[in-house]
Amino acid sequence: MEQETNRVEAFSDGVFAIVITILVLELKVPEEQGSALWHGLWEQWPHYAAYLVSFLIIGVMWVNHHTIFSHLKRVDRPLLFLNLLVLMVVSVIPYTTNILAEHLTDGDSANVAAILYSSWTVVYALAFLGFWWYVTQVGHLFHEAVDKDGARATRVRFGLGAVAYPLTVILSFFSAPLTLVAHFLIALYYAANQIPIPLVVEEERLESGSDLRK
């Protein structure tokens, strides 16, 4: 069963790698020649900004996904389908990123592009939250060393994205560039504040250390 878990994670890693590669393929080579190339490069700053933000978002997704699978000893059929749902949502991010980059400075369509981009992050947050809720609901897929009650208690922090990302949808109606900045800050928060999955062995070690001090 652990081999099955490794196969699912390897497949998922491949999808994440392809999605990140597609992101960079959306960066176009400017048509300008000579010194005008500097201007052409500068004109594409929305693509660079959108690429940076989406790369960070997908990178944090991958880290969280890897962290969860490193604590699982087996998978079952519902988890496979939930994992496919997460991967399906992740695979669309290059598309929404390209739309936002193309229209970020367009006053008429920038807000529409930002709404699409933000709305899709809400879909991802809900998909990932559903994935995590299923894993922690019973805890039958975890390694024995995982504190199942402690893991279940992290649901609230895992669900913060389901609150933060809808706020970016509201912001999208007012400013597309600020919306991109908001997504960047949210991704930075999750990158710097990873949610640890508690282990029973850690709690036992802390308890024994407390007994020794007594």
Side-chain angles (χ1 to χ4, degrees):
M1 287 187 177
E2 289 184 358
Q3 283 185 331
E4 288 299 315
T5 303
N6 292 335
R7 286 184 60 193
V8 175
E9 185 176 9
F11 173 76
S12 303
D13 287 347
V15 173
F16 276 106
I18 292 172
V19 171
I20 284 181
T21 302
I22 292 174
L23 271 180
V24 74
L25 293 178
E26 296 296 338
L27 299 178
K28 308 300 182 183
V29 177
E31 297 180 356
E32 288 81 358
Q33 301 292 327
S35 59
L37 180 59
W38 289 109
H39 176 73
L41 290 170
W42 170 251
E43 285 295 312
Q44 294 198 43
W45 72 264
H47 288 270
Y48 307 142
Y51 166 79
L52 175 63
V53 173
S54 291
F55 186 96
L56 185 57
I57 290 174
I58 295 172
V60 172
M61 293 176 185
W62 174 78
V63 170
N64 286 331
H65 188 273
H66 170 72
T67 301
I68 291 175
F69 267 87
S70 66
H71 290 76
L72 300 182
K73 67 177 179 180
R74 62 177 180 269
V75 295
D76 60 7
R77 190 175 180 84
L79 184 69
L80 290 177
F81 281 108
L82 286 170
N83 188 63
L84 283 175
L85 176 62
V86 170
L87 296 179
M88 182 197 73
V89 176
V90 171
S91 300
V92 180
I93 292 179
Y95 172 71
T96 58
T97 300
N98 194 38
I99 291 179
L100 181 61
E102 288 286 345
H103 299 277
L104 188 62
T105 56
D106 186 348
D108 295 329
S109 56
N111 296 109
V112 176
I115 291 170
L116 173 65
Y117 186 87
S118 298
S119 298
W120 198 250
T121 59
V122 174
V123 174
Y124 169 77
L126 293 175
F128 201 91
L129 182 60
F131 178 88
W132 181 238
W133 271 68
Y134 177 76
V135 171
T136 57
Q137 181 67 31
V138 178
H140 59 294
L141 305 177
F142 279 128
H143 283 291
E144 290 78 5
V146 174
D147 177 9
K148 297 178 179 59
D149 291 331
R152 203 169 290 119
T154 65
R155 286 173 170 180
V156 175
R157 290 181 64 192
F158 257 96
L160 287 179
V163 177
Y165 288 126
L167 294 178
T168 65
V169 176
I170 298 174
L171 182 60
S172 300
F173 284 91
F174 302 97
S175 173
L178 284 180
T179 301
L180 193 60
V181 172
H183 282 289
F184 179 70
L185 295 176
I186 293 172
L188 279 183
Y189 168 79
Y190 277 114
N193 189 26
Q194 292 297 311
I195 301 174
I197 299 176
L199 303 178
V200 175
V201 290
E202 289 182 352
E203 293 183 352
E204 290 177 350
R205 186 174 65 249
L206 290 174
E207 288 176 1
S208 4
S210 175
D211 292 339
L212 287 174
R213 285 192 295 271
K214 292 178 181 178

